[in-house]
Amino acid sequence: MIGERLDEILNKARDGAQAFLKSVADRPVAAPREALPAVQFPALPDRGWGAQRALEHFRANLEPLLSGSAGPRYLGFVTGGSTPAALAGDWLAAAYDQNVSSDGDSIATGVERHTLAMLRALFGVPDSFEGAFVSGATQANVVALATARQWAYARLGIDVSEVGLTGAPPISVLAGAPHASIDKALSILGMGRRCIERMALVEGRAAMDPAALDAHLRGRPAAAPCIVSASAGEVNTGDFDDLRAVAEVAKRHGAWLHVDGAFGLFAAADPAYAHLVDGLELADSIASDAHKWLNVPYDSGFVFTRHLSDQERVFRAAGAYLGAGPDLLHRTPENSRRFRALPAWMTLMAYGREGYRDLVHRCCEHARRLGDHLRASRSYELLADVHLNIVCFAPRSRDVRERDRVLEAIHAGGRAFFTPTVYGGRPAIRAAFSNWSTTTEDVAIVARALDEVGAL
């Protein structure tokens, strides 16, 4: 029977969370690969265990096999931790259990709108951009590109939100080095991965060449609408498209400009890197993650667009019981929406501009420090300049087996975690710094682990 004493189980959960977080810097950063397939999960019990026993079982048998992704040396993908304020906000979001879909019965929708306004201020985005929280940058790209699709086909006299894509001509999406989530979004939207036309890159970089984009657009029929997808933080190297130059080209040819800034948008928080997002305000849509550099718990992202009417035409939920006002449920695929804005609100209010300026700056300095170490290494080669917070490198041997050996040895050693990639056709390794708790000592630990593995 459901109905145990809430205070007892919440206190035990709190104690477990605190114990985990206090140990996360010292536990293996990734679970042993061989242990994961061997786990025996219990069958659904006829008579429930009760919350206390279920929690005890999880902590004893499954928690030890969690990764240290909340900790300071999990450098795979682009993984932020959770600031103390964001974690508190997330706990409260679960306790409050608000459905942030419609206005009128809760201040939660107002909190989301206020949080989006603070993010606009942090990034220097005008108030003409309307936004919404979603599950992450992938979903943000889906929403933004769905809105762009609506705009593009409307120029051809087709309302795809009503009649669909049957018989409609394809719309091209032009990009230099797009993230895989752009491909995924286009597949979801029925436009197809093959609608992406890859533009030439600036030599030696992972950034779109604005001159090549301009030449391509000049060769297209003037009446053919298209979408340009620019990168604010390319995933392998952290490089940036020249947003202002790309925006000027897009505007000259009447193209929609989408900016995928899953982590790179936060360069705007630090004056030392804000030039990398110069021209962001000229975009038509912007996608980003909050669970990366904002350092809030998974899952959280947000999307901005200056074309709210097109966005609402796509995502409108028509139903007499839902209402037809400017509710947030008409902006995203979700009708029922978690109170994702609260952890973001809490951390932005707790640490402010100065806190995020410091967080971004420290992470970039950590990346530069590791990059300098690798540049001087006899075992590794730095494959690209460190533009922001990502270090792209490889063993000097070009054999993929050596890359994989290094990754496996680092994984087994437990002091750090990286993810593989391919850059310029070469098997490579990425290290991404985006956790508030990472210190210079953590960078030194990572460097020593790499040196030891490289010397084997």
Side-chain angles (χ1 to χ4, degrees):
M1 179 176 179
I2 300 172
E4 293 173 279
R5 286 191 57 178
L6 188 61
D7 57 345
E8 290 182 358
I9 189 60
L10 289 183
N11 285 336
K12 288 185 178 295
R14 179 203 61 197
D15 293 344
Q18 287 181 322
F20 177 84
L21 291 173
K22 285 179 180 178
S23 69
V24 72
D26 300 318
R27 63 187 288 133
V29 181
R33 293 190 199 278
E34 65 277 4
L36 299 177
V39 172
Q40 296 293 316
F41 289 96
L44 173 67
D46 290 326
R47 184 178 179 86
W49 289 355
Q52 183 167 317
R53 182 184 168 192
L55 179 60
E56 289 172 350
H57 178 89
F58 184 89
R59 293 205 60 213
N61 297 283
L62 302 176
E63 182 186 288
L65 297 176
L66 295 175
S67 76
S69 58
R73 296 189 300 279
Y74 190 95
L75 306 179
F77 309 103
V78 183
T79 304
S82 295
T83 68
L87 181 57
D90 200 63
W91 285 4
L92 288 172
Y96 295 151
D97 198 21
Q98 302 291 288
N99 182 2
V100 191
S101 59
S102 302
D103 296 318
D105 69 336
S106 171
I107 194 61
T109 53
V111 172
E112 180 161 336
R113 289 187 168 97
H114 178 224
T115 307
L116 292 163
M118 288 194 287
L119 289 168
R120 284 196 299 266
L122 184 66
F123 303 136
V125 172
D127 290 342
S128 55
F129 282 83
E130 292 283 353
F133 272 82
V134 291
S135 60
T138 297
Q139 189 74 291
N141 280 325
V142 169
V143 172
L145 292 171
T147 307
R149 181 190 62 177
Q150 182 71 19
W151 166 89
Y153 281 109
R155 292 186 64 187
L156 299 176
I158 303 170
D159 184 351
V160 293
S161 69
E162 295 296 331
V163 303
L165 289 171
T166 302
I171 298 291
S172 294
V173 176
L174 314 181
H179 188 266
S181 62
I182 298 293
D183 298 63
K184 185 174 186 176
L186 294 169
S187 174
I188 291 170
L189 294 171
M191 298 171 71
R193 293 180 174 90
R194 293 184 182 179
C195 79
I196 296 180
E197 298 181 32
R198 293 183 180 266
M199 300 295 99
L201 302 178
V202 177
E203 186 174 356
R205 294 177 53 195
M208 180 163 43
D209 184 346
L213 174 66
D214 186 51
H216 183 89
L217 286 169
R218 278 191 279 110
R220 291 173 57 86
C226 71
I227 301 163
V228 176
S229 180
S231 295
E234 185 269 337
V235 70
N236 284 322
T237 67
D239 206 347
F240 282 70
D241 291 343
D242 184 334
L243 298 183
R244 184 165 296 280
V246 169
E248 289 171 353
V249 171
K251 182 178 180 180
R252 185 157 59 245
H253 295 281
W256 177 289
L257 176 60
H258 172 61
V259 175
D260 178 9
F263 62 93
L265 219 58
F266 286 83
D270 183 358
Y273 298 97
H275 65 279
L276 294 172
V277 291
D278 176 51
L280 177 66
E281 73 282 359
L282 302 175
D284 292 284
S285 57
I286 303 167
S288 190
D289 266 317
H291 55 231
K292 288 186 170 67
W293 234 342
L294 192 62
N295 274 227
V296 304
Y298 286 97
D299 51 15
S300 185
F302 49 90
V303 59
F304 291 110
T305 174
R306 60 168 76 248
H307 300 265
L308 183 60
S309 61
D310 286 316
Q311 183 177 351
E312 291 181 334
R313 196 167 287 117
V314 175
F315 295 105
R316 183 179 71 249
Y321 69 100
L322 293 174
D327 295 326
L328 294 173
L329 69 90
H330 301 302
R331 298 186 181 186
T332 77
E334 299 169 302
N335 279 8
S336 300
R337 305 173 68 251
R338 191 175 187 271
F339 198 2
R340 289 191 182 97
L342 183 55
W345 186 94
M346 197 74 73
T347 195
L348 286 166
M349 292 299 294
Y351 310 117
R353 288 183 186 272
E354 185 176 322
Y356 279 92
R357 179 170 63 245
D358 176 66
L359 170 58
V360 169
H361 194 80
R362 283 189 292 110
C363 287
C364 294
E365 287 302 300
H366 295 332
R368 290 186 183 280
R369 188 171 286 109
L370 181 61
D372 289 343
H373 180 85
L374 292 167
R375 188 177 283 110
S377 171
R378 294 182 178 180
S379 301
Y380 302 99
E381 184 177 349
L382 193 64
L383 299 186
D385 291 337
V386 178
H387 300 281
L388 193 67
N389 65 324
I390 292 181
V391 185
C392 185
F393 65 101
R396 291 197 175 272
S397 166
R398 293 175 175 265
D399 192 329
V400 67
R401 291 171 296 184
E402 175 63 10
R403 191 274 311 269
D404 292 347
R405 182 196 70 80
V406 168
L407 284 172
E408 191 58 39
I410 291 290
H411 186 143
R415 286 178 287 175
F417 181 78
F418 307 113
T419 39
T421 191
V422 174
Y423 181 68
R426 183 170 174 182
I429 301 170
R430 296 170 61 260
F433 291 87
S434 48
N435 189 303
W436 69 274
S437 66
T438 306
T439 66
T440 54
E441 176 57 26
D442 289 310
V443 180
I445 291 170
V446 169
R448 285 197 295 272
L450 283 167
D451 287 348
E452 291 169 11
V453 168
L456 294 178

